[in-house]
Amino acid sequence: MSSNLPVESSPKSANLLYRSADAPLLPREKLEKWGAASMTNEELLALILGSGNHECSVFELSRRLSDFLSVQTQVPPLEELRRIRGLGRVKASQVLACLELSGRYILGNSSCPVMSPEDILPRLSFLKYEVQEHLVVVTLTAANGVIGIHEITTGLVNQTPVHPREAFVKAIEDHAVSVVFAHNHPSGSIEPSGEDMGVTRLLCASGRILRIPVLDHIIVGKGGYTSFCRMYPEMFEKTFEPA
């Protein structure tokens, strides 16, 4: 016999239906109340995805997708999106359609220039979730537009030698005018170590010789970030002002 009474749900599903008055706003509610600009990348992606699956919640899936997209310099093909664990063909197609439309209608061929360390941080957010230390280089145009983000080393910087040849090879291939280096501290600390200082001096000196100035070296941790150009401006020959 059918009934109009609500079917008892599991605690996990109930959390999606009910919440206390002082709980944070859900993505759709936040969009309606404060607008899209107030939302994080993960919240916007959660709205596009709509739901998770048996492997993970929609918020975990949106975080994985956000980490992947943060290092892309162009719209990725469908095959690459589908490699994200938990993202099926239908949801990957929805995301790809949104990315393509935003490029056609809003972004066009323009990109926001990097004028400060904060401008590049959203593209480096994936680093704070890594369990190993990664050193990456961000290559920039004369107008400080991002050309690409390339991984240089994986593993502790003080145990993995950073040779200028490897550090700047992608910058040369990209015909970059300047670069920003960044690495993560899996421990969560954003305090520069002695090794970090030595690597930064080496990279800045190499950039001067190659005439590809280093604008900054950023340490990313779960608790925030440290900008070397803010702490030690004397180490850098050029600021974020475009050429």
Side-chain angles (χ1 to χ4, degrees):
M1 187 168 90
S2 63
S3 170
N4 292 325
L5 292 175
V7 177
E8 183 178 354
S9 57
S10 66
K12 184 176 180 180
S13 61
N15 288 337
L16 301 177
L17 300 175
Y18 309 103
R19 61 184 178 85
S20 61
D22 58 349
L25 293 176
L26 295 173
R28 186 174 289 106
E29 296 169 330
K30 189 173 181 180
L31 176 69
E32 293 172 351
K33 187 170 184 178
W34 303 111
S38 70
M39 303 176 70
T40 65
N41 293 342
E42 288 83 357
E43 289 171 333
L44 291 169
L45 289 169
L47 274 179
I48 294 172
L49 295 171
S51 63
N53 51 47
H54 68 281
E55 293 185 5
C56 60
S57 70
V58 65
F59 298 107
E60 172 60 22
L61 185 56
S62 65
R63 186 187 70 78
R64 294 176 189 173
L65 181 56
S66 178
D67 291 347
F68 170 80
L69 293 175
S70 68
V71 297
Q72 304 301 310
T73 57
Q74 59 186 2
V75 176
L78 183 63
E79 294 74 18
E80 287 192 19
L81 280 173
R82 292 193 62 188
R83 291 175 188 163
I84 299 172
R85 186 161 56 89
L87 193 66
R89 178 178 56 83
V90 173
K91 292 187 184 299
S93 298
Q94 292 172 194
V95 171
L96 184 59
C98 289
L99 293 173
E100 181 62 31
L101 282 172
S102 67
R104 293 185 186 185
Y105 285 112
I106 301 173
L107 299 180
N109 293 323
S110 64
S111 61
C112 296
V114 177
M115 301 298 292
S116 70
E118 289 76 18
D119 290 338
I120 197 65
L121 282 176
R123 307 290 294 272
L124 301 173
S125 62
F126 70 100
L127 286 172
K128 65 182 178 181
Y129 301 107
E130 297 292 345
V131 296
Q132 284 187 294
E133 194 164 299
H134 295 257
L135 176 66
V136 302
V137 60
V138 183
T139 54
L140 302 172
T141 66
N144 283 16
V146 175
I147 302 172
I149 300 177
H150 309 281
E151 185 171 287
I152 301 171
T153 64
T154 300
L156 294 177
V157 169
N158 62 347
Q159 294 180 5
T160 305
V162 180
H163 195 284
R165 180 176 57 249
E166 283 74 32
F168 284 88
V169 66
K170 290 298 182 182
I172 295 171
E173 290 177 0
D174 286 354
H175 301 285
V177 173
S178 58
V179 294
V180 172
F181 290 96
H183 78 277
N184 63 307
H185 280 180
S187 65
S189 169
I190 55 173
E191 188 71 23
S193 66
E195 290 80 8
D196 294 334
M197 296 288 292
V199 167
T200 304
R201 291 192 181 96
L202 172 63
L203 294 174
C204 288
S206 302
R208 291 188 185 97
I209 294 172
L210 293 170
R211 300 189 180 225
I212 305 177
V214 178
L215 303 187
D216 202 354
H217 183 186
I218 299 172
I219 299 174
V220 179
K222 291 182 180 178
Y225 73 97
T226 293
S227 164
F228 272 84
C229 78
R230 292 262 174 83
M231 293 185 70
Y232 310 102
E234 69 280 359
M235 297 174 66
F236 299 86
E237 64 172 324
K238 190 175 182 294
T239 68
F240 278 93
E241 290 296 324

